[in-house]
């Protein structure tokens, strides 16, 4: 019963406190009323104003130099033909199902090697930093994929 009384008197006390503070603020604001014409944003600008172009700062100059230096490399990356449309997700799922339903002869042992090497990376990085926890599994899984698929890894490396 005592707990219930504390819970109900606390909000009621806060309501009275806020009303009294609000009343004090109203009285103070009535004394300091300002007409809109007295505000500085409503005054007319001076007639003698002129446009001055802003000089670029150090940061803007740094970005401009990077943009001009990398311009030729960005031009190389532009494609001459539009990229192919993205594969439909449903079609990708169907193709993956058909491929996994009837895998090639060496597919499962190779996936086993890649999975075990990734898990070895997870185990070896369990007490390391965040960077170690990311790089060890990815690095060992990549190493396993390189061992299992050497031709494709050489093509990717070139």
């Amino acid at each position: 019963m005592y707990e219930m009384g504390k819970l109900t008197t606390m909000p009621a006390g806060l309501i009275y406190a806020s009303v009294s503070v609000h009343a004090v603020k109203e009285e103070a604001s009535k004394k300091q009323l300002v007409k809109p014409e007295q505000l500085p944003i409503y005054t007319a600008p001076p007639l003698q104003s002129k446009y001055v172009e802003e000089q670029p700062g150090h940061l803007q100059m740094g970005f401009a130099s990077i943009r001009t230096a990398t311009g030729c490399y960005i031009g190389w990356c532009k494609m001459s033909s539009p990229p192919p449309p993205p594969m439909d997700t449903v079609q990708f799922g169907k193709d993956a199902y058909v491929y996994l339903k009837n895998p090639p002869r060496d597919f499962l042992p190779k996936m086993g090697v890649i999975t075990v090497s990734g898990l070895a990376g997870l185990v070896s990085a369990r007490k390391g930093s965040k960077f170690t926890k990311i790089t060890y599994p990815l690095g060992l899984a990549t190493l396993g994929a390189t061992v299992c698929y050497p031709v494709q890894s050489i093509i990717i490396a070139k």
Side-chain angles (χ1 to χ4, degrees):
M1 185 70 172
Y2 175 70
E3 290 293 322
M4 188 62 143
K6 270 181 23 181
L7 293 175
T8 57
T9 56
M10 185 64 158
L14 287 175
I15 291 172
Y16 291 123
S18 65
V19 169
S20 63
V21 170
H22 181 65
V24 170
K25 283 187 175 181
E26 269 186 28
E27 292 173 7
S29 64
K30 286 181 183 177
K31 294 177 185 174
Q32 299 173 354
L33 292 178
V34 178
K35 294 181 182 178
E37 297 84 29
Q38 294 174 338
L39 295 173
I41 59 172
Y42 291 110
T43 58
L47 298 175
Q48 308 269 334
S49 63
K50 63 178 182 177
Y51 175 73
V52 177
E53 189 167 329
E54 182 181 351
Q55 299 296 323
H58 294 293
L59 188 63
Q60 279 182 314
M61 294 299 290
F63 281 129
S65 65
I66 292 171
R67 194 180 314 121
T68 54
T70 59
C72 60
Y73 300 113
I74 292 173
W76 292 347
C77 296
K78 290 184 179 176
M79 293 184 179
S80 58
S81 63
M87 187 186 301
D88 188 29
T89 308
V90 176
Q91 185 62 38
F92 178 76
K94 288 178 182 177
D95 292 344
Y97 177 75
V98 169
Y99 183 78
L100 292 174
K101 187 83 170 168
N102 202 4
R105 188 174 55 109
D106 292 339
F107 176 73
L108 293 178
K110 289 179 180 181
M111 281 298 114
V113 168
I114 294 170
T115 304
V116 167
S117 61
L119 289 174
L122 277 174
V123 169
S124 63
R126 70 180 181 271
K127 291 187 179 179
S129 65
K130 288 182 181 179
F131 180 74
T132 305
K133 289 179 181 179
I134 292 171
T135 54
Y136 277 24
L138 285 177
L140 288 177
T142 305
L143 183 67
T146 304
V147 168
C148 292
Y149 297 102
V151 175
Q152 288 85 352
S153 61
I154 290 171
I155 291 171
I156 290 172
K158 285 183 180 180

